[in-house]
Amino acid sequence: MFETFNEVPLSTASIGQVHMAKLFDGPNVAVKIQKPDTDELIKSDLAIMKFLAKKN
């Protein structure tokens, strides 16, 4: 899919990373790679926030 792909991330976040790559037809692109199981992590975080919001 990519002519080149930089394995060192340009940026990182709690749920993913951004890598620079070049497509075979020429354009340079940013590729966001999402970490596995992030939907479960987000659901858990939201449940905790909802619980804490009810306590106040």
Side-chain angles (χ1 to χ4, degrees), residues 1 6 10 13 15 18-21 23 25-26 28 30 32 34-35 39 41 44 48-49 51 53 55-56:
M1 178 176 276
N6 191 343
L10 178 66
I15 64 169
V18 176
H19 296 261
M20 295 305 298
L23 299 178
D25 60 355
N28 291 312
K32 180 180 176 185
Q34 187 172 329
K35 294 179 182 177
D39 15 337
L41 177 62
S44 172
I48 291 167
M49 287 189 284
F51 173 78
K55 288 241 174 215
N56 292 325

Side-chain angles (χ1 to χ4, degrees), residues 12-17 32-39 41-42 45:
T12 61
S14 60
I15 64 169
Q17 298 178 327
K32 180 180 176 185
I33 310 257
Q34 187 172 329
K35 294 179 182 177
D37 302 321
T38 51
D39 15 337
L41 177 62
I42 292 169
D45 287 349

